[in-house]
Amino acid sequence: MTTIRILIFLLLISGITYGLTTIADVDRMKHDLSKFLSISRFNETEKSVARAAIKRALEAVGLNSMTHTFIHEESNEIGANVIAVQKGPYFGTGNDKMMILSANYDTLEGNQGVDDNGSGVAAVLEAARVLSTLDTLYSRQNTIVYVFFDMKHKALAGSHAFVEDVLLPLMERTNTEVIGTVIADGLLHFDPFPASQAMPQEFESFFPEAAQLLHEHSHMGDFIQISSRSDVDEELVKKLHPFLYSDHSSFFFHSKQKTVQIPTIYLTDTLNLRGVRQYCVQCDGLYMMTEQNMKFLALMTDSLIRLLIEMSGSSASNVVDDLYTFMFNIDVE
Ligand SMILES: *[C@@H]1O[C@H](CO)[C@@H](O)[C@H](O)[C@H]1NC(C)=O
Ligand SMILES: *[C@@H]1O[C@H](CO)[C@@H](O)[C@H](O)[C@H]1NC(C)=O
């Protein structure tokens, strides 16, 4: 049996509208988004600016990064992923249980790409900063890898090259298990108005439960969608573009898929199926950075941070609830 599940993850609206404290630092994310994640990242010049900024942000918290270059065979273009490894004590051995957090940093031509995918990159960077800071105070068992993919629009070339050239060989050589991969897509767009959320026609027949929930929720665009698979189904994936055609496919479907499973989930605000972006492709600019949207992004980033703390076997998991009050106590109200 092959199934892919879509879950709709509702965030509390009251939490968005009123005061809210998050572990994720909203001001740092605003800074990243307005500095280098709101300018087109399409040609090589533009992309190298973004890569340099990502590398600097990682370096600032002591994370060295490397550039993984690959050739996209059809176009003969060179692409570059940025990879940072936050090693655990068992790195490179069969006792490591690796977590991977990733986002796509390139954009379509001329797009500012604040939501798509500036926000995913901002979330991964912020999670990296928090997890690195925690390392100065708490112990951690497992390695965390942060990856920023290139060339989403060339048949997922970046994530595909990462899985085939880097990840699978590493897993094979070291016997390391990957216990989870998260692909962060746009995570910024929040629209709590009824009927602001569209869904493709086939959606309802494939995902009746999610469709029903959406219906009961008056089709408001105030949730994050999680895609995952209980088993492999290529047909379903092909059919459900744009819902399922994304970088998680590179982790679902790869050359060793018969023997190696890489648990992977994909998170998205559904991009241009929501709110104003349905009608206005050029609207993905600085204007997206409303207080409400930033809080939405910060909440999602917190979920990612908590997931990483838990899955990486950090001793901070015992005190995670206190982190809100004493570590990065910021209030964006
Ligand atoms: C890349 O894009 C920038 C800004 O849009 C433009 O000024 C530059 O000429 C482009 N570079 C190449 C090599 O196409
Ligand atoms: C952003 O990344 C997601 C996930 O990889 C992808 O679905 C989306 O198309 C990307 N957007 C751009 C403009 O690359």
Side-chain angles (χ1 to χ4, degrees):
M1 263 312 283
T2 58
T3 38
I4 292 192
R5 285 169 301 169
I6 295 266
L7 299 172
I8 289 177
F9 179 57
L10 296 167
L11 294 175
L12 274 187
I13 298 167
S14 57
I16 299 269
T17 320
Y18 306 107
L20 166 78
T21 306
T22 54
I23 304 175
D25 187 330
V26 176
D27 290 332
R28 282 197 300 216
M29 289 197 286
K30 267 189 190 157
H31 176 270
D32 291 347
L33 286 169
S34 53
K35 270 267 157 76
F36 62 92
L37 297 171
S38 46
I39 38 180
S40 168
R41 305 175 288 284
F42 178 75
N43 69 32
E44 178 45 33
T45 318
E46 297 169 333
K47 287 195 293 187
S48 66
V49 171
R51 280 198 301 273
I54 290 171
K55 284 164 158 278
R56 273 197 305 277
L58 293 167
E59 240 161 65
V61 290
L63 275 174
N64 290 323
S65 55
M66 55 203 142
T67 307
H68 160 230
T69 53
F70 57 90
I71 296 178
H72 177 243
E73 277 162 22
E74 264 162 58
S75 64
N76 242 348
E77 267 177 65
I78 296 179
N81 297 326
V82 175
I83 306 174
V85 182
Q86 190 179 0
K87 290 183 184 168
Y90 306 115
F91 179 73
T93 75
N95 293 328
D96 203 2
K97 297 191 191 314
M98 199 178 266
M99 277 297 297
I100 300 171
L101 181 59
S102 67
N104 225 273
Y105 73 86
D106 64 329
T107 63
L108 294 170
E109 187 163 17
N111 258 29
Q112 288 186 281
V114 172
D115 178 27
D116 185 5
N117 267 330
S119 58
V121 172
V124 177
L125 279 178
E126 181 58 12
R129 284 191 283 238
V130 170
L131 268 293
S132 300
T133 309
L134 290 176
D135 270 0
T136 61
L137 297 167
Y138 302 97
S139 66
R140 183 172 43 82
Q141 292 300 300
N142 301 323
T143 296
I144 307 173
V145 179
Y146 306 95
V147 197
F148 303 87
F149 294 127
D150 191 2
M151 284 196 191
K152 147 84 185 161
H153 295 284
K154 295 248 158 56
L156 311 172
S159 53
H160 178 72
F162 171 75
V163 172
E164 297 295 338
D165 306 348
V166 180
L167 189 60
L168 290 172
L170 176 82
M171 290 171 77
E172 195 160 39
R173 201 173 59 240
T174 61
N175 253 329
T176 298
E177 183 191 351
V178 173
I179 54 168
T181 299
V182 179
I183 316 278
D185 193 9
L187 301 178
L188 180 66
H189 200 175
F190 175 87
D191 195 331
F193 290 99
S196 60
Q197 180 69 46
M199 62 178 175
Q201 233 171 8
E202 320 88 22
F203 186 79
E204 191 151 11
S205 52
F206 279 107
F207 306 111
E209 278 168 32
Q212 176 65 21
L213 188 58
L214 195 57
H215 185 64
E216 282 162 14
H217 201 61
S218 312
H219 294 256
M220 289 189 253
D222 59 351
F223 60 88
I224 287 289
Q225 176 188 296
I226 307 169
S227 313
S228 65
R229 114 206 99 156
S230 340
D231 214 331
V232 180
D233 187 338
E234 223 152 347
E235 276 314 297
L236 188 62
V237 171
K238 277 193 217 131
K239 284 212 173 92
L240 278 158
H241 175 106
F243 271 82
L244 293 170
Y245 177 78
S246 190
D247 287 308
H248 56 303
S249 322
S250 301
F251 290 81
F252 285 4
F253 309 116
H254 51 74
S255 59
K256 305 240 161 67
Q257 72 193 46
K258 290 225 168 71
T259 49
V260 182
Q261 296 286 326
I262 309 168
T264 301
I265 58 172
Y266 166 62
L267 306 178
T268 183
D269 63 14
T270 76
L271 310 177
N272 52 357
L273 287 168
R274 177 168 299 175
V276 68
R277 288 200 52 206
Q278 288 175 69
Y279 320 103
C280 174
V281 240
Q282 295 311 318
C283 285
D284 191 11
L286 289 173
Y287 129 100
M288 287 289 292
M289 289 170 58
T290 60
E291 288 294 296
Q292 183 172 262
N293 279 349
M294 286 306 299
K295 286 180 185 174
F296 186 62
L297 174 61
L299 274 179
M300 261 328 294
T301 307
D302 270 24
S303 310
L304 294 175
I305 291 167
R306 295 180 75 117
L307 178 79
L308 286 180
I309 289 175
E310 183 79 33
M311 302 281 287
S312 69
S314 166
S315 59
S317 64
N318 302 320
V319 296
V320 74
D321 291 324
D322 303 334
L323 294 177
Y324 290 87
T325 47
F326 86 90
M327 218 175 143
F328 306 97
N329 196 353
I330 49 151
D331 196 345
V332 294
E333 279 289 275

